[in-house]
């Protein structure tokens, strides 16, 4: 079990090298002071690197305490960052700290309450902040905790500051003086991430808070366990502000966006249900469907094979597609046109209102300009890039990657991505061949509906299987390509990775659906192998979409819930019996057996939701119940994700973020593409336009749909036995003066389709144009931002020597002192 006294590592001279904090670690307040934990094997064969790294951590200002688990032979290094070192690193990375009170407090727009029954009310932001600057230390000092300076920084900030030292401390040699942010002097051998990759250290993580009350107050983790993850809270708003305080802005933005997206799914779910009900009420009375199902009418005519290979596909009776026609009517009716217009407008409203919500959160969380001014360089970028240049704005030396090197690396990445996308397209072609093989294998006297549904459903599940397999492989490949590109900051790295992953996933998940929607049955008999059923391809599109979307959601939820539970159970099961006794496990040991949180964990959550967003928007007309399935899934997804991150994963590094990243531009692009895809599906895939043309054509004086089926059929002779069969197209009969030429009806239908598509898209984009007038930034937030900038400018001016200020004043008397930006001030001070 863990030793109660301080345990020292392998060297005998550690008493002199380490600043050991000898305080009891059994009480909650002491555990609160632990900012990070490192774990290594006591008798490791890499003791030299471990000793160097730990020595250098103390030289760089961290306080270390050691705990030894004799049963597992593990050493836990408990790290605390002193207040003075927090200030030093905060200035280096431009961490924002309070500088002045906000005099007029306002409750932020949107829901600021966590749960009505919890009795907890989130206070809006009450202080303006600025990047810490030691030259105006007195401006920040009044907000520091005088009795316990360590608490002047929030836990999440101390974790980030500690990680900055861990990620930049050298391990190749022992240091005598602090050497942070200058690791390039020792052949770039630095950083905890490299040591973890080389298995020198087994793990590194911040501690979860205890799930108890401290001084009669719930800890943040206990609060989240009570009012967030439990299923009984599914109808309550998420405690986003508490999530942000515990996990940081990056994770909080994900849950804020997911909750916002889920709440906005309620209206399209209700509309989709009514559209589906309308289809149920009208499909039995649909005249074309009745004609197809009646063998005394059109149902008895002989139809041509549905593929060009006559050895595989045989003739069939039109009545055999009766059930298929009824299914088609559920999603291919006039109400779906309204639904597609509604969803096209909804997608734009969703992104526009999220921008406003995001702007409010950016100010409340003080990250509105984080990426532009405060984001540090990636240690990996600093370690691999050697060339420098002078920044033409600041005049400072900075690392950079030459254009030729960038072009070379990006070309390789793009080529690899293009190759993988081609592989997916090749698989789509393979699915077509699979359907033909199944048709050839099944007995020729089998029921046509049995053959059709067998091939359709099995092809859908096989497609889903290959999607999952390719996804796993490509994740590994995309990370390697992204590392190869040498990105400057974490935000740029993640944006590049997101683009790579999403482009591949877009093709991976949507290729087969796009094929059915836009290509199947759209070409002549001699050039394409598959054709649509008499009822059209829309019902097949709906089935394929439902299988992939719903199947993916079920698979992901089972995997997300069971995988961490099983993995953690196996981890604890393999531990020593003495260690497995829960009561004897200290917090750092309990967390050690949890799953590690990686950079891809949150990325996978975003990707899952954005792929879902594409399903319900790009193909809204084909699956009106899509928003409902998405809503039900997301209500469960929020609680599963909360359960995982709070109980099954180690505490993630509470990274800062300015927004949801490049996912917002992706959502905007998908929203605009959805207008085009839904318009094209209605115009060219559904039966809406042909029916409309027939209803008002000269051939139909009664203006009913009687005879519509015959209107859509053309006649030919079957080459194997010379019998006459019918196929779906607008062509002259084989025995006419102009055999197989397009009829006048074809051109009428084509013209109507093009006119509808133009009107549909112009109508939607016209409405969207007005939606864009909604300002992205509320006026109240804009006023606070300008006030904060003014306060920062005044503080920086006060820190300047009076001589410099007088010189500036004399050289340009027209300069308004309060209008000078902080960047201009810095430039003047350097001169």
């Amino acid at each position: 079990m863990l030793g109660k006294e301080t345990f020292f590592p392998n060297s005998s001279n550690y008493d002199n090298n380490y600043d050991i904090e000898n305080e009891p670690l059994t009480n909650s307040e002491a555990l609160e002071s632990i900012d990070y934990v490192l774990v290594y094997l006591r008798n490791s064969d890499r003791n030299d690197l471990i000793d160097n790294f730990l020595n250098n951590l103390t030289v760089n200002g961290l306080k270390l305490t050691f705990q030894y688990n004799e049963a597992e032979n593990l050493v836990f290094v408990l790290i605390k960052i002193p207040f003075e070192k927090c200030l030093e690193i905060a200035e280096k990375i431009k961490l924002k700290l309070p500088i002045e009170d906000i005099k007029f407090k306002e409750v932020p727009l949107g829901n600021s309450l966590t749960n009505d029954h919890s009795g907890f009310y989130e206070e809006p932001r009450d202080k303006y902040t600025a990047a810490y600057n030691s030259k105006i230390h007195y401006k920040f000092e009044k907000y520091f905790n005088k009795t316990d300076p360590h608490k002047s920084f929030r836990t999440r900030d101390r974790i980030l500051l500690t990680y900055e030292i861990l990620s930049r401390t050298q391990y190749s040699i022992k240091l005598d003086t602090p050497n942070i942010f200058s690791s390039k002097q020792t052949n770039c051998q630095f950083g905890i991430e490299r040591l973890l990759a080389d298995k020198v250290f087994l793990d590194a993580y911040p501690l979860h808070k205890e799930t108890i009350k401290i001084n009669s107050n719930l800890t943040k983790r206990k609060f989240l366990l009570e009012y967030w993850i439990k299923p009984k809270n599914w109808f309550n708003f998420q405690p986003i502000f508490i999530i942000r305080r515990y996990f940081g802005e990056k994770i909080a933005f994900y849950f804020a966006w997911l909750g916002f997206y889920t709440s906005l799914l309620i209206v399209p779910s209700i509309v989709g249900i009514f559209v589906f009900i309308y289809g149920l009420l009208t499909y039995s009375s649909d005249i074309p469907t009745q004609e197809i199902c009646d063998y005394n009418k059109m149902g008895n005519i002989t139809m041509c094979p549905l593929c060009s290979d006559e050895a595989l596909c045989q003739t069939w009776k039109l009545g055999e597609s009766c059930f298929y026609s009824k299914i088609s009517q559920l999603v291919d009716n006039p109400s779906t046109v309204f639904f597609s217009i509604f969803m096209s407008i909804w997608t734009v409203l969703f992104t526009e209102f999220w921008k406003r919500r995001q702007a409010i959160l950016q100010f409340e969380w003080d990250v509105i300009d984080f990426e532009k001014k405060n984001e540090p360089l990636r240690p990996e970028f600093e370690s691999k890039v050697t060339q420098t240049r002078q920044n033409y704005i600041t005049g400072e030396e900075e690392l950079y990657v030459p254009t030729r090197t960038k072009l070379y690396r990006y070309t390789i990445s793009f080529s690899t991505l293009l190759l993988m996308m081609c592989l997916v397209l090749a698989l789509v072609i393979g699915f077509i061949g699979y359907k033909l093989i199944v048709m050839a294998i099944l007995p020729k006297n089998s029921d046509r509906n049995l053959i059709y549904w067998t091939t359709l459903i099995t092809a859908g599940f096989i497609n889903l299987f290959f999607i999952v397999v390719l996804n796993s492989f490509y994740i590994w490949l995309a990370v390697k390509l992204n590392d190869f590109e040498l990105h400057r900051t974490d935000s740029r790295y993640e944006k590049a990775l997101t683009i790579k992953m999403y482009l591949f996933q877009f093709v991976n998940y949507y290729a087969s659906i796009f094929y059915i929607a836009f290509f199947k049955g759209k070409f002549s008999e001699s050039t394409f192998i598959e054709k649509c059923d008499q009822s059209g391809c829309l019902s097949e599109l709906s089935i394929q979409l439902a299988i992939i979307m719903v199947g993916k959601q079920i698979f992901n939820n089972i995997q997300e819930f069971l995988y961490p539970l099983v993995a953690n159970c196996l981890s604890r099961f393999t531990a020593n019996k003495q260690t497995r006794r829960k009561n004897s496990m200290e917090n750092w040991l309990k967390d050690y057996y949890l799953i590690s949180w990686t950079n891809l964990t949150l990325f996978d959550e975003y990707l899952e939701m954005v792929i879902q967003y594409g399903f319900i928007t790009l193909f809204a007309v084909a699956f009106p119940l899509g928003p409902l399935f998405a809503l039900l899934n997301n209500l469960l997804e929020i609680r599963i994700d909360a359960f995982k991150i709070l109980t099954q994963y180690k505490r993630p590094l509470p990274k800062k973020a300015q927004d949801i990243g490049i996912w917002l531009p992706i959502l905007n692009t998908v929203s605009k593409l959805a207008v085009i895809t839904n318009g094209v599906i209605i115009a060219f895939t559904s039966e809406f336009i042909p029916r409309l043309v027939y209803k008002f054509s000269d051939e139909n004086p009664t203006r009913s749909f009687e005879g519509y089926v015959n209107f859509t059929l053309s006649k030919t002779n079957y080459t194997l036995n010379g019998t006459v069969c019918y196929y779906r197209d607008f062509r002259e009969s084989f025995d006419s003066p102009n055999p197989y030429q397009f009829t006048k009806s074809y051109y009428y239908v084509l013209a109507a389709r093009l006119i509808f598509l133009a009107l549909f898209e112009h109508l939607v984009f016209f409405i969207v144009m007005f939606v864009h007038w909604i300002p992205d930034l509320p006026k109240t937030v804009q006023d606070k931002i300008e006030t904060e900038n003014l306060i920062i400018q005044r503080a920086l001016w006060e820190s300047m020597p009076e001589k410099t200020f007088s010189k500036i004043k004399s050289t340009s008397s027209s300069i308004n002192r309060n209008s000078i930006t902080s960047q201009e001030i810095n430039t003047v001070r350097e001169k």
Side-chain angles (χ1 to χ4, degrees):
M1 55 187 295
L2 290 170
K4 297 297 182 184
E5 298 180 357
T6 301
F7 172 81
F8 298 96
N10 308 294
S11 300
S12 59
N13 60 346
Y14 273 50
D15 293 305
N16 298 323
N17 289 346
Y18 285 81
D19 182 10
I20 301 297
E21 181 180 301
N22 290 308
E23 63 178 1
L25 296 172
T26 56
N27 61 75
S28 299
E29 292 184 0
L31 290 173
E32 285 286 314
S33 69
I34 299 174
D35 300 314
Y36 227 89
V37 178
L38 303 181
V39 186
Y40 67 90
L41 198 62
R42 183 183 183 188
N43 300 321
S44 171
D45 57 356
R46 312 293 293 277
N47 281 337
D48 54 336
L49 298 180
I50 295 174
D51 291 350
N52 290 346
F53 188 69
L54 296 179
N55 174 83
N56 297 345
L57 289 180
T58 60
V59 171
N60 284 333
L62 297 180
K63 293 184 178 182
L64 311 182
T65 301
F66 299 87
Q67 294 289 322
Y68 175 53
N69 183 287
E70 185 177 0
E72 301 292 338
N73 197 29
L74 297 175
V75 179
F76 292 83
V77 185
L78 312 181
I79 301 175
K80 176 179 178 178
I81 181 170
F83 172 69
E84 296 76 14
K85 184 57 65 172
C86 284
L87 292 177
E88 178 188 337
I89 305 302
E91 186 170 17
K92 289 282 189 181
I93 68 171
K94 302 178 182 178
L95 182 70
K96 288 187 172 184
L97 297 177
I99 193 171
E100 190 171 310
D101 290 331
I102 296 178
K103 296 179 181 179
F104 302 102
K105 299 180 184 179
E106 293 181 9
V107 177
L109 297 178
N111 189 283
S112 63
L113 305 182
T114 55
N115 291 282
D116 294 338
H117 63 274
S118 68
F120 178 84
Y121 291 83
E122 172 62 34
E123 287 291 331
R125 180 180 168 190
D126 58 355
K127 294 178 180 65
Y128 294 115
T129 62
Y132 177 74
N133 188 332
S134 57
K135 295 182 179 180
I136 51 172
H137 175 78
Y138 68 94
K139 286 282 187 179
F140 303 93
E141 189 176 17
K142 59 185 176 182
Y143 295 106
F144 294 153
N145 190 316
K146 302 299 188 296
T147 57
D148 188 356
H150 189 68
K151 294 182 179 179
S152 299
F153 288 84
R154 292 185 180 273
T155 302
R156 67 173 186 273
D157 290 333
R158 296 201 309 270
I159 291 172
L160 281 177
L161 295 170
T162 304
Y163 181 78
E164 283 296 326
I165 298 177
L166 290 172
S167 64
R168 298 174 186 279
T169 296
Q170 303 169 27
Y171 56 80
S172 57
I173 60 172
K174 287 187 178 180
L175 301 174
D176 297 322
T177 57
N179 194 22
I180 309 174
F181 296 95
S182 58
S183 303
K184 298 182 74 61
Q185 298 175 4
T186 54
N187 298 323
C188 309
Q189 295 182 351
F190 68 94
I192 186 61
E193 295 299 334
R194 286 173 171 267
L195 294 174
L196 290 172
D198 294 337
K199 306 297 183 184
V200 177
F201 282 90
L202 300 181
D203 216 333
Y205 50 90
L207 279 181
H208 271 299
K209 289 185 181 289
E210 290 195 288
T211 55
I212 60 173
K213 289 185 177 181
I214 298 179
N215 299 328
S216 301
N217 295 319
L218 293 174
T219 63
K220 292 183 181 66
R221 190 184 185 202
K222 179 65 174 177
F223 182 91
L224 294 174
L225 287 171
E226 289 292 328
Y227 299 110
W228 187 33
I229 72 171
K230 291 185 177 180
K232 68 179 182 180
N233 299 316
W234 68 269
F235 56 90
N236 290 324
F237 287 97
Q238 298 182 89
I240 294 299
F241 290 85
I242 300 298
I243 296 170
R244 176 247 177 172
R245 288 181 178 180
Y246 190 74
F247 292 112
E249 288 79 8
K250 191 176 187 66
I251 291 175
F253 264 119
Y254 164 72
F255 282 106
W257 173 80
L258 179 57
F260 184 84
Y261 167 49
T262 302
S263 62
L264 260 68
L265 280 173
I266 295 175
V267 175
S269 297
I270 296 173
V271 176
I273 291 173
F274 279 111
V275 170
F276 185 75
I277 291 175
Y278 175 84
L280 285 175
L281 296 176
T282 59
Y283 88 97
S284 60
S285 59
D286 182 59
I287 295 176
T289 301
Q290 293 175 351
E291 290 182 348
I292 291 174
C293 295
D294 190 349
Y295 277 85
N296 295 322
K297 296 182 180 179
M298 298 297 298
N300 198 39
I301 67 172
T302 302
M303 299 295 295
C304 299
L306 289 177
C307 67
S308 57
D309 192 336
E310 296 176 348
L312 296 177
C313 302
Q314 297 182 338
T315 58
W316 51 284
K317 297 296 184 180
L318 181 58
E320 295 177 21
S321 65
C322 174
F323 177 74
Y324 187 60
S325 299
K326 292 179 179 180
I327 295 296
S328 179
Q329 179 62 19
L330 291 177
V331 294
D332 194 357
N333 57 70
S335 66
T336 56
V337 179
F338 161 76
F339 185 68
S340 62
I341 296 174
F342 169 82
M343 286 301 296
S344 298
I345 298 172
W346 177 87
T347 58
V348 179
L349 288 173
F350 165 69
T351 54
E352 290 299 317
F353 283 119
W354 167 248
K355 289 177 186 177
R356 287 178 62 85
R357 177 62 177 159
Q358 182 174 263
I360 295 169
L361 294 177
Q362 284 175 336
F363 177 79
E364 293 295 328
W365 297 350
D366 199 16
V367 292
I368 204 159
D369 55 357
F370 170 70
E371 291 182 10
K372 183 178 180 181
K373 298 180 180 179
N374 303 100
E375 188 173 17
L377 297 178
R378 297 181 70 238
E380 294 82 359
F381 178 82
E382 292 181 302
S383 68
K384 295 178 182 178
V385 178
T386 58
Q387 292 183 263
T388 61
R389 67 178 177 186
Q390 189 178 43
N391 188 300
Y392 69 92
I393 297 177
T394 64
E396 298 177 352
E397 287 291 317
E398 64 176 7
L399 296 170
Y400 89 108
V401 180
T403 303
R404 179 178 295 181
T405 304
K406 281 185 179 180
L407 183 61
Y408 163 72
R409 292 174 180 266
Y410 288 170
T411 300
I412 292 178
S413 292
F414 177 76
S415 301
T416 307
L417 173 62
L418 190 61
L419 178 64
M420 291 299 300
M421 293 169 68
C422 291
L423 175 61
V424 175
L425 294 176
L427 285 175
V428 173
I429 298 174
F431 294 141
I432 299 173
Y434 164 79
K435 293 178 182 179
L436 295 177
I437 292 173
V438 172
M439 290 179 183
I441 293 176
L442 292 176
K444 296 295 187 270
N445 58 353
S446 299
D447 180 57
R448 177 183 172 274
N449 284 328
L450 175 63
I451 296 175
Y452 177 79
W453 287 104
T454 301
T455 55
L456 181 62
I457 295 175
T458 55
F461 280 107
I462 293 174
N463 187 22
L464 178 62
F465 170 77
F466 277 104
I467 285 172
V468 174
V469 172
L470 281 175
N471 177 44
S472 301
F473 169 73
Y474 187 74
I475 288 175
W476 171 84
L477 180 62
V479 172
K480 295 296 182 184
L481 292 174
N482 223 48
D483 291 340
F484 180 67
E485 291 175 357
L486 299 177
H487 295 283
R488 186 178 186 84
T489 61
D490 280 335
S491 62
R492 293 185 185 180
Y493 178 89
E494 291 176 5
K495 286 177 181 178
L497 180 62
T498 301
I499 291 173
K500 289 183 185 65
M501 287 298 300
Y502 185 74
L503 285 176
F504 174 77
Q505 298 292 0
F506 187 91
V507 177
N508 195 18
Y509 280 101
Y510 301 143
S512 60
I513 301 175
F514 269 95
Y515 159 69
I516 297 172
F518 304 120
F519 298 100
K520 184 175 180 180
K522 302 298 187 298
F523 300 91
S524 64
E525 299 178 48
S526 60
T527 58
F528 216 70
I529 200 169
E530 280 192 308
K531 300 178 183 65
C532 295
D533 187 85
Q534 168 60 28
S535 302
C537 285
L538 195 59
S539 54
E540 182 178 348
L541 175 64
S542 301
I543 295 168
Q544 191 81 352
L545 185 62
I547 291 174
I548 295 177
M549 177 183 171
V550 179
K552 176 181 179 295
Q553 291 182 168
I554 293 174
F555 174 80
N556 284 345
N557 284 329
I558 293 175
Q559 181 190 39
E560 288 184 24
F561 182 75
L562 292 181
Y563 169 73
L565 287 176
V566 174
N568 287 330
C569 286
L570 290 176
S571 180
R572 286 191 292 267
F573 180 78
T574 56
N576 186 281
K577 284 185 179 180
Q578 193 174 9
T579 304
R580 286 205 301 269
R581 287 186 296 182
K582 195 170 184 179
N583 293 335
S584 67
M585 292 176 67
E586 300 289 353
N587 284 41
W588 48 85
L589 185 58
K590 293 176 185 176
D591 287 4
Y592 173 71
Y593 288 110
L594 298 177
I595 301 173
S596 296
W597 183 275
T598 68
N599 291 332
L600 287 176
T601 306
L602 186 62
F603 171 83
D604 289 338
E605 303 298 339
Y606 267 119
L607 182 63
E608 178 186 353
M609 291 296 102
V610 175
I611 291 293
Q612 178 201 89
Y613 181 80
F615 282 133
I616 67 171
T617 56
L618 293 172
F619 311 102
V621 64
F623 195 30
L625 292 180
L628 175 63
F629 282 105
L631 174 63
L632 297 175
N633 173 81
N634 292 0
L635 290 173
L636 184 62
E637 179 78 21
I638 291 173
R639 307 306 161 183
I640 291 178
D641 288 347
F643 167 76
K644 289 190 309 180
I645 195 173
L646 268 175
T647 65
Q648 303 303 306
Y649 280 88
K650 295 181 177 70
R651 185 174 182 174
L653 186 66
K655 290 185 177 181
K656 289 186 174 295
Q658 183 173 316
D659 46 38
I660 64 172
I662 201 169
W663 294 111
L664 183 56
I666 289 176
L667 290 170
N668 274 323
T669 303
V670 172
S671 298
K672 291 179 174 61
L673 184 60
V675 178
I676 299 173
T677 55
N678 282 290
V680 173
I681 290 174
I682 294 174
F684 292 94
T685 303
S686 77
E687 292 294 292
F688 177 74
I689 299 300
R691 287 193 178 201
L692 201 62
V693 171
Y694 176 74
K695 185 174 183 179
F696 296 100
S697 67
D698 295 336
E699 302 174 19
N700 183 21
T702 62
R703 298 295 182 260
S704 70
F705 287 111
E706 291 185 7
Y708 172 75
V709 177
N710 187 60
F711 171 73
T712 61
L713 295 178
S714 299
K715 185 170 61 173
T716 186
N717 60 334
Y718 190 38
T719 56
L720 289 182
N721 52 21
T723 59
V724 174
C725 65
Y726 291 82
Y727 61 97
R728 178 186 173 83
D729 209 343
F730 296 99
R731 293 179 181 271
E732 299 287 351
S733 174
F734 71 99
D735 54 359
S736 69
N738 300 307
Y740 305 117
Q741 295 296 313
F742 287 119
T743 62
K744 291 181 180 179
S745 297
Y746 169 81
Y747 294 104
Y748 293 151
V749 171
L750 179 61
R753 283 172 167 166
L754 295 175
I755 293 172
F756 170 83
L757 183 60
L759 291 175
F760 177 87
E761 294 183 357
H762 279 75
L763 172 63
V764 174
F765 283 123
F766 182 74
I767 298 173
V768 167
M769 182 178 67
F770 284 97
V771 173
H772 280 301
W773 282 90
I774 300 173
D776 294 342
L777 192 63
K779 176 115 179 9
T780 54
V781 176
Q782 181 64 47
D783 291 342
K784 289 183 178 181
I785 293 172
E786 292 176 0
T787 304
E788 185 173 46
N789 289 336
L790 180 62
I791 290 170
I792 295 171
Q793 291 166 18
R794 286 174 174 171
L796 290 172
W797 273 106
E798 290 176 11
S799 69
M800 294 176 62
E802 188 61 32
K803 272 187 180 182
T804 307
F805 176 69
S806 300
K807 184 178 179 181
I808 297 172
K809 189 174 181 181
S810 63
T811 54
S812 180
S813 59
S814 62
I815 294 178
N816 182 350
R817 181 177 180 178
N818 290 336
S819 67
I820 296 179
T821 65
S822 58
Q823 185 177 347
E824 291 171 330
I825 293 171
N826 289 331
T827 304
V828 172
R829 291 180 61 190
E830 290 170 2
K831 293 181 179 179

